[in-house]
mmCIF file of all heavy atoms in Angstrom:
data_model
loop_
_atom_site.group_PDB
_atom_site.id
_atom_site.type_symbol
_atom_site.label_atom_id
_atom_site.label_comp_id
_atom_site.label_asym_id
_atom_site.label_seq_id
_atom_site.Cartn_x
_atom_site.Cartn_y
_atom_site.Cartn_z
ATOM 1 N N VAL A 30 110.569 131.119 99.511
ATOM 2 C CA VAL A 30 110.055 129.760 99.326
ATOM 3 C C VAL A 30 111.192 128.748 99.196
ATOM 4 O O VAL A 30 111.055 127.577 99.577
ATOM 5 C CB VAL A 30 109.108 129.697 98.101
ATOM 6 C CG1 VAL A 30 109.863 129.958 96.809
ATOM 7 C CG2 VAL A 30 108.383 128.357 98.041
ATOM 8 N N LYS A 31 112.336 129.197 98.712
ATOM 9 C CA LYS A 31 113.492 128.293 98.575
ATOM 10 C C LYS A 31 114.013 127.814 99.923
ATOM 11 O O LYS A 31 114.791 126.839 99.991
ATOM 12 C CB LYS A 31 114.617 128.987 97.805
ATOM 13 C CG LYS A 31 115.196 130.210 98.472
ATOM 14 C CD LYS A 31 116.281 130.841 97.623
ATOM 15 C CE LYS A 31 116.884 132.092 98.267
ATOM 16 N NZ LYS A 31 115.899 133.201 98.337
ATOM 17 N N ASN A 32 113.573 128.465 100.998
ATOM 18 C CA ASN A 32 114.031 128.092 102.335
ATOM 19 C C ASN A 32 113.068 127.145 103.059
ATOM 20 O O ASN A 32 113.258 126.862 104.241
ATOM 21 C CB ASN A 32 114.214 129.355 103.188
ATOM 22 C CG ASN A 32 115.254 130.286 102.607
ATOM 23 O OD1 ASN A 32 116.276 129.832 102.076
ATOM 24 N ND2 ASN A 32 115.015 131.596 102.687
ATOM 25 N N LEU A 33 112.032 126.666 102.365
ATOM 26 C CA LEU A 33 111.100 125.732 103.004
ATOM 27 C C LEU A 33 111.837 124.476 103.461
ATOM 28 O O LEU A 33 112.688 123.933 102.753
ATOM 29 C CB LEU A 33 109.992 125.345 102.033
ATOM 30 C CG LEU A 33 108.841 126.332 101.850
ATOM 31 C CD1 LEU A 33 107.868 125.811 100.798
ATOM 32 C CD2 LEU A 33 108.106 126.571 103.167
ATOM 33 N N LYS A 34 111.453 123.997 104.661
ATOM 34 C CA LYS A 34 112.021 122.778 105.230
ATOM 35 C C LYS A 34 110.896 121.864 105.695
ATOM 36 O O LYS A 34 109.784 122.313 105.986
ATOM 37 C CB LYS A 34 112.926 123.110 106.432
ATOM 38 C CG LYS A 34 114.057 124.080 106.135
ATOM 39 C CD LYS A 34 115.075 123.486 105.165
ATOM 40 C CE LYS A 34 116.231 124.464 104.935
ATOM 41 N NZ LYS A 34 117.172 123.957 103.910
ATOM 42 N N LEU A 35 111.230 120.591 105.779
ATOM 43 C CA LEU A 35 110.265 119.638 106.325
ATOM 44 C C LEU A 35 110.009 119.981 107.781
ATOM 45 O O LEU A 35 110.939 120.001 108.597
ATOM 46 C CB LEU A 35 110.810 118.214 106.197
ATOM 47 C CG LEU A 35 109.885 117.086 106.668
ATOM 48 C CD1 LEU A 35 108.652 116.975 105.779
ATOM 49 C CD2 LEU A 35 110.642 115.756 106.684
ATOM 50 N N ALA A 36 108.742 120.276 108.100
ATOM 51 C CA ALA A 36 108.389 120.645 109.478
ATOM 52 C C ALA A 36 108.017 119.426 110.301
ATOM 53 O O ALA A 36 108.367 119.327 111.476
ATOM 54 C CB ALA A 36 107.232 121.650 109.471
ATOM 55 N N TRP A 37 107.282 118.502 109.713
ATOM 56 C CA TRP A 37 106.922 117.254 110.391
ATOM 57 C C TRP A 37 106.453 116.228 109.370
ATOM 58 O O TRP A 37 106.114 116.578 108.235
ATOM 59 C CB TRP A 37 105.860 117.458 111.473
ATOM 60 C CG TRP A 37 104.559 118.100 111.047
ATOM 61 C CD1 TRP A 37 104.181 119.392 111.235
ATOM 62 C CD2 TRP A 37 103.449 117.466 110.393
ATOM 63 N NE1 TRP A 37 102.922 119.622 110.735
ATOM 64 C CE2 TRP A 37 102.435 118.452 110.220
ATOM 65 C CE3 TRP A 37 103.191 116.183 109.944
ATOM 66 C CZ2 TRP A 37 101.211 118.174 109.603
ATOM 67 C CZ3 TRP A 37 101.973 115.896 109.328
ATOM 68 C CH2 TRP A 37 100.996 116.884 109.169
ATOM 69 N N SER A 38 106.460 114.989 109.775
ATOM 70 C CA SER A 38 105.884 113.922 108.952
ATOM 71 C C SER A 38 105.108 112.985 109.861
ATOM 72 O O SER A 38 105.447 112.802 111.035
ATOM 73 C CB SER A 38 106.968 113.158 108.184
ATOM 74 O OG SER A 38 107.815 112.461 109.083
ATOM 75 N N TYR A 39 104.068 112.412 109.307
ATOM 76 C CA TYR A 39 103.205 111.500 110.063
ATOM 77 C C TYR A 39 103.061 110.211 109.266
ATOM 78 O O TYR A 39 102.715 110.230 108.075
ATOM 79 C CB TYR A 39 101.837 112.137 110.291
ATOM 80 C CG TYR A 39 100.757 111.161 110.724
ATOM 81 C CD1 TYR A 39 100.730 110.645 112.016
ATOM 82 C CD2 TYR A 39 99.755 110.769 109.843
ATOM 83 C CE1 TYR A 39 99.742 109.749 112.411
ATOM 84 C CE2 TYR A 39 98.764 109.880 110.231
ATOM 85 C CZ TYR A 39 98.760 109.369 111.509
ATOM 86 O OH TYR A 39 97.778 108.480 111.889
ATOM 87 N N SER A 40 103.336 109.090 109.895
ATOM 88 C CA SER A 40 103.165 107.783 109.265
ATOM 89 C C SER A 40 101.757 107.271 109.535
ATOM 90 O O SER A 40 101.357 107.088 110.694
ATOM 91 C CB SER A 40 104.191 106.786 109.801
ATOM 92 O OG SER A 40 103.897 105.478 109.338
ATOM 93 N N THR A 41 101.002 107.037 108.477
ATOM 94 C CA THR A 41 99.626 106.541 108.629
ATOM 95 C C THR A 41 99.579 105.063 108.988
ATOM 96 O O THR A 41 98.547 104.555 109.401
ATOM 97 C CB THR A 41 98.833 106.741 107.331
ATOM 98 O OG1 THR A 41 99.356 105.863 106.319
ATOM 99 C CG2 THR A 41 98.912 108.177 106.849
ATOM 100 N N ARG A 42 100.680 104.371 108.739
ATOM 101 C CA ARG A 42 100.793 102.925 108.972
ATOM 102 C C ARG A 42 99.945 102.111 108.002
ATOM 103 O O ARG A 42 99.776 100.901 108.189
ATOM 104 C CB ARG A 42 100.468 102.570 110.432
ATOM 105 C CG ARG A 42 101.267 103.393 111.429
ATOM 106 C CD ARG A 42 101.113 102.942 112.869
ATOM 107 N NE ARG A 42 99.779 103.067 113.412
ATOM 108 C CZ ARG A 42 99.236 104.211 113.820
ATOM 109 N NH1 ARG A 42 99.929 105.345 113.710
ATOM 110 N NH2 ARG A 42 98.019 104.238 114.340
ATOM 111 N N ASP A 43 99.416 102.739 106.967
ATOM 112 C CA ASP A 43 98.681 102.057 105.898
ATOM 113 C C ASP A 43 99.324 102.470 104.581
ATOM 114 O O ASP A 43 99.085 103.560 104.083
ATOM 115 C CB ASP A 43 97.199 102.464 105.886
ATOM 116 C CG ASP A 43 96.443 101.970 107.102
ATOM 117 O OD1 ASP A 43 96.772 100.883 107.603
ATOM 118 O OD2 ASP A 43 95.516 102.678 107.543
ATOM 119 N N SER A 44 100.159 101.620 104.029
ATOM 120 C CA SER A 44 100.931 101.986 102.849
ATOM 121 C C SER A 44 100.096 101.852 101.582
ATOM 122 O O SER A 44 99.357 100.889 101.401
ATOM 123 C CB SER A 44 102.167 101.087 102.745
ATOM 124 O OG SER A 44 102.951 101.428 101.642
ATOM 125 N N GLY A 45 100.228 102.835 100.694
ATOM 126 C CA GLY A 45 99.544 102.768 99.410
ATOM 127 C C GLY A 45 98.937 104.096 99.019
ATOM 128 O O GLY A 45 99.015 105.089 99.737
ATOM 129 N N GLN A 46 98.316 104.098 97.858
ATOM 130 C CA GLN A 46 97.845 105.336 97.234
ATOM 131 C C GLN A 46 96.904 106.128 98.139
ATOM 132 O O GLN A 46 95.920 105.608 98.643
ATOM 133 C CB GLN A 46 97.128 105.007 95.920
ATOM 134 C CG GLN A 46 96.724 106.240 95.154
ATOM 135 C CD GLN A 46 96.052 105.924 93.835
ATOM 136 O OE1 GLN A 46 95.553 106.823 93.179
ATOM 137 N NE2 GLN A 46 96.033 104.673 93.420
ATOM 138 N N MET A 47 97.225 107.411 98.322
ATOM 139 C CA MET A 47 96.360 108.354 99.023
ATOM 140 C C MET A 47 96.089 109.528 98.091
ATOM 141 O O MET A 47 97.011 110.255 97.735
ATOM 142 C CB MET A 47 97.013 108.862 100.315
ATOM 143 C CG MET A 47 97.098 107.842 101.433
ATOM 144 S SD MET A 47 97.725 108.561 102.976
ATOM 145 C CE MET A 47 99.490 108.684 102.590
ATOM 146 N N GLN A 48 94.849 109.706 97.697
ATOM 147 C CA GLN A 48 94.462 110.850 96.874
ATOM 148 C C GLN A 48 93.914 111.977 97.744
ATOM 149 O O GLN A 48 93.411 112.970 97.242
ATOM 150 C CB GLN A 48 93.407 110.406 95.852
ATOM 151 C CG GLN A 48 93.909 109.344 94.895
ATOM 152 C CD GLN A 48 92.852 108.854 93.926
ATOM 153 O OE1 GLN A 48 91.686 109.267 93.988
ATOM 154 N NE2 GLN A 48 93.235 107.966 93.027
ATOM 155 N N MET A 49 94.082 111.840 99.028
ATOM 156 C CA MET A 49 93.429 112.677 100.024
ATOM 157 C C MET A 49 93.995 114.091 100.098
ATOM 158 O O MET A 49 95.199 114.302 100.141
ATOM 159 C CB MET A 49 93.568 111.959 101.372
ATOM 160 C CG MET A 49 93.028 112.688 102.563
ATOM 161 S SD MET A 49 94.302 113.668 103.426
ATOM 162 C CE MET A 49 95.449 112.398 103.930
ATOM 163 N N ASN A 50 93.070 115.067 100.084
ATOM 164 C CA ASN A 50 93.409 116.462 100.351
ATOM 165 C C ASN A 50 93.019 116.743 101.800
ATOM 166 O O ASN A 50 91.831 116.780 102.119
ATOM 167 C CB ASN A 50 92.643 117.385 99.395
ATOM 168 C CG ASN A 50 92.826 118.854 99.714
ATOM 169 O OD1 ASN A 50 91.864 119.572 99.949
ATOM 170 N ND2 ASN A 50 94.058 119.318 99.725
ATOM 171 N N PRO A 51 93.989 116.915 102.721
ATOM 172 C CA PRO A 51 93.634 117.105 104.129
ATOM 173 C C PRO A 51 92.860 118.403 104.329
ATOM 174 O O PRO A 51 92.987 119.350 103.547
ATOM 175 C CB PRO A 51 94.994 117.177 104.838
ATOM 176 C CG PRO A 51 96.019 116.809 103.825
ATOM 177 C CD PRO A 51 95.431 117.044 102.485
ATOM 178 N N ILE A 52 92.067 118.446 105.393
ATOM 179 C CA ILE A 52 91.474 119.711 105.826
ATOM 180 C C ILE A 52 91.996 120.023 107.217
ATOM 181 O O ILE A 52 92.434 119.123 107.950
ATOM 182 C CB ILE A 52 89.934 119.684 105.797
ATOM 183 C CG1 ILE A 52 89.375 118.708 106.848
ATOM 184 C CG2 ILE A 52 89.421 119.349 104.407
ATOM 185 C CD1 ILE A 52 87.862 118.809 107.028
ATOM 186 N N VAL A 53 91.949 121.308 107.596
ATOM 187 C CA VAL A 53 92.445 121.746 108.900
ATOM 188 C C VAL A 53 91.392 122.641 109.533
ATOM 189 O O VAL A 53 90.935 123.617 108.923
ATOM 190 C CB VAL A 53 93.777 122.505 108.774
ATOM 191 C CG1 VAL A 53 94.241 123.005 110.143
ATOM 192 C CG2 VAL A 53 94.844 121.612 108.140
ATOM 193 N N VAL A 54 91.000 122.287 110.762
ATOM 194 C CA VAL A 54 90.055 123.090 111.536
ATOM 195 C C VAL A 54 90.729 123.438 112.858
ATOM 196 O O VAL A 54 91.125 122.542 113.611
ATOM 197 C CB VAL A 54 88.738 122.332 111.780
ATOM 198 C CG1 VAL A 54 87.768 123.194 112.581
ATOM 199 C CG2 VAL A 54 88.112 121.915 110.447
ATOM 200 N N ASP A 55 90.874 124.718 113.126
ATOM 201 C CA ASP A 55 91.635 125.182 114.287
ATOM 202 C C ASP A 55 93.056 124.624 114.191
ATOM 203 O O ASP A 55 93.766 124.960 113.260
ATOM 204 C CB ASP A 55 90.920 124.788 115.585
ATOM 205 C CG ASP A 55 89.549 125.454 115.702
ATOM 206 O OD1 ASP A 55 89.412 126.607 115.244
ATOM 207 O OD2 ASP A 55 88.612 124.818 116.210
ATOM 208 N N THR A 56 93.441 123.748 115.095
ATOM 209 C CA THR A 56 94.806 123.198 115.032
ATOM 210 C C THR A 56 94.816 121.723 114.650
ATOM 211 O O THR A 56 95.847 121.061 114.762
ATOM 212 C CB THR A 56 95.495 123.344 116.401
ATOM 213 O OG1 THR A 56 94.742 122.596 117.382
ATOM 214 C CG2 THR A 56 95.594 124.795 116.820
ATOM 215 N N ILE A 57 93.684 121.191 114.178
ATOM 216 C CA ILE A 57 93.585 119.754 113.901
ATOM 217 C C ILE A 57 93.467 119.516 112.397
ATOM 218 O O ILE A 57 92.643 120.116 111.717
ATOM 219 C CB ILE A 57 92.381 119.129 114.623
ATOM 220 C CG1 ILE A 57 92.472 119.364 116.135
ATOM 221 C CG2 ILE A 57 92.319 117.632 114.341
ATOM 222 C CD1 ILE A 57 91.286 118.824 116.915
ATOM 223 N N MET A 58 94.307 118.626 111.903
ATOM 224 C CA MET A 58 94.238 118.176 110.515
ATOM 225 C C MET A 58 93.484 116.851 110.462
ATOM 226 O O MET A 58 93.726 115.950 111.275
ATOM 227 C CB MET A 58 95.643 117.989 109.935
ATOM 228 C CG MET A 58 95.653 117.418 108.507
ATOM 229 S SD MET A 58 97.328 117.205 107.849
ATOM 230 C CE MET A 58 97.768 118.911 107.551
ATOM 231 N N TYR A 59 92.593 116.739 109.478
ATOM 232 C CA TYR A 59 91.809 115.520 109.291
ATOM 233 C C TYR A 59 92.086 114.960 107.899
ATOM 234 O O TYR A 59 92.168 115.697 106.916
ATOM 235 C CB TYR A 59 90.317 115.811 109.420
ATOM 236 C CG TYR A 59 89.900 116.384 110.756
ATOM 237 C CD1 TYR A 59 89.756 117.756 110.926
ATOM 238 C CD2 TYR A 59 89.655 115.552 111.846
ATOM 239 C CE1 TYR A 59 89.371 118.286 112.150
ATOM 240 C CE2 TYR A 59 89.269 116.069 113.071
ATOM 241 C CZ TYR A 59 89.128 117.446 113.217
ATOM 242 O OH TYR A 59 88.744 117.967 114.431
ATOM 243 N N GLY A 60 92.215 113.632 107.833
ATOM 244 C CA GLY A 60 92.446 112.987 106.547
ATOM 245 C C GLY A 60 92.047 111.528 106.583
ATOM 246 O O GLY A 60 91.476 111.041 107.569
ATOM 247 N N VAL A 61 92.374 110.824 105.512
ATOM 248 C CA VAL A 61 92.013 109.416 105.357
ATOM 249 C C VAL A 61 93.234 108.670 104.839
ATOM 250 O O VAL A 61 93.903 109.128 103.903
ATOM 251 C CB VAL A 61 90.829 109.242 104.383
ATOM 252 C CG1 VAL A 61 90.410 107.779 104.307
ATOM 253 C CG2 VAL A 61 89.644 110.106 104.793
ATOM 254 N N THR A 62 93.510 107.508 105.397
ATOM 255 C CA THR A 62 94.676 106.724 105.011
ATOM 256 C C THR A 62 94.379 105.879 103.773
ATOM 257 O O THR A 62 93.250 105.823 103.284
ATOM 258 C CB THR A 62 95.119 105.797 106.150
ATOM 259 O OG1 THR A 62 94.190 104.695 106.245
ATOM 260 C CG2 THR A 62 95.177 106.527 107.477
ATOM 261 N N ALA A 63 95.409 105.179 103.316
ATOM 262 C CA ALA A 63 95.247 104.308 102.149
ATOM 263 C C ALA A 63 94.264 103.172 102.403
ATOM 264 O O ALA A 63 93.678 102.632 101.463
ATOM 265 C CB ALA A 63 96.605 103.737 101.740
ATOM 266 N N ALA A 64 94.071 102.794 103.657
ATOM 267 C CA ALA A 64 93.119 101.736 104.013
ATOM 268 C C ALA A 64 91.782 102.309 104.475
ATOM 269 O O ALA A 64 90.988 101.612 105.099
ATOM 270 C CB ALA A 64 93.710 100.837 105.101
ATOM 271 N N LEU A 65 91.553 103.576 104.166
ATOM 272 C CA LEU A 65 90.292 104.264 104.476
ATOM 273 C C LEU A 65 90.023 104.365 105.966
ATOM 274 O O LEU A 65 88.877 104.260 106.410
ATOM 275 C CB LEU A 65 89.105 103.597 103.766
ATOM 276 C CG LEU A 65 89.162 103.551 102.245
ATOM 277 C CD1 LEU A 65 87.797 103.184 101.671
ATOM 278 C CD2 LEU A 65 89.636 104.871 101.650
ATOM 279 N N ARG A 66 91.063 104.602 106.754
ATOM 280 C CA ARG A 66 90.870 104.942 108.160
ATOM 281 C C ARG A 66 90.934 106.462 108.285
ATOM 282 O O ARG A 66 91.835 107.102 107.738
ATOM 283 C CB ARG A 66 91.954 104.314 109.032
ATOM 284 C CG ARG A 66 92.126 102.815 108.847
ATOM 285 C CD ARG A 66 93.174 102.300 109.826
ATOM 286 N NE ARG A 66 93.942 101.214 109.300
ATOM 287 C CZ ARG A 66 93.648 99.922 109.456
ATOM 288 N NH1 ARG A 66 92.571 99.576 110.115
ATOM 289 N NH2 ARG A 66 94.426 98.985 108.941
ATOM 290 N N ALA A 67 89.976 107.038 108.993
ATOM 291 C CA ALA A 67 90.002 108.477 109.242
ATOM 292 C C ALA A 67 90.978 108.762 110.374
ATOM 293 O O ALA A 67 91.028 108.023 111.363
ATOM 294 C CB ALA A 67 88.608 108.979 109.600
ATOM 295 N N VAL A 68 91.760 109.844 110.230
ATOM 296 C CA VAL A 68 92.732 110.202 111.260
ATOM 297 C C VAL A 68 92.642 111.694 111.551
ATOM 298 O O VAL A 68 92.297 112.501 110.689
ATOM 299 C CB VAL A 68 94.175 109.840 110.846
ATOM 300 C CG1 VAL A 68 94.350 108.334 110.734
ATOM 301 C CG2 VAL A 68 94.560 110.523 109.532
ATOM 302 N N ALA A 69 92.960 112.038 112.810
ATOM 303 C CA ALA A 69 93.104 113.432 113.227
ATOM 304 C C ALA A 69 94.499 113.595 113.802
ATOM 305 O O ALA A 69 94.924 112.798 114.654
ATOM 306 C CB ALA A 69 92.053 113.797 114.266
ATOM 307 N N ILE A 70 95.234 114.596 113.311
ATOM 308 C CA ILE A 70 96.587 114.840 113.809
ATOM 309 C C ILE A 70 96.741 116.335 114.082
ATOM 310 O O ILE A 70 96.029 117.156 113.510
ATOM 311 C CB ILE A 70 97.661 114.354 112.807
ATOM 312 C CG1 ILE A 70 97.484 115.029 111.448
ATOM 313 C CG2 ILE A 70 97.619 112.858 112.648
ATOM 314 C CD1 ILE A 70 98.477 114.570 110.399
ATOM 315 N N HIS A 71 97.660 116.643 114.963
ATOM 316 C CA HIS A 71 97.915 118.056 115.251
ATOM 317 C C HIS A 71 98.586 118.676 114.030
ATOM 318 O O HIS A 71 99.632 118.207 113.566
ATOM 319 C CB HIS A 71 98.800 118.210 116.488
ATOM 320 C CG HIS A 71 98.888 119.623 116.978
ATOM 321 N ND1 HIS A 71 99.664 120.586 116.357
ATOM 322 C CD2 HIS A 71 98.279 120.257 118.017
ATOM 323 C CE1 HIS A 71 99.545 121.733 116.984
ATOM 324 N NE2 HIS A 71 98.697 121.567 118.005
#
């Protein structure tokens, strides 16, 4: 676990508090931004 590295980062373009726990179905991650926009990312 000490060898973990940042694999990727995604900018939501909506800055501010996110309490969101993402979910993943197949290869798609789904979440919600600070401005309550739903997003799907690989």
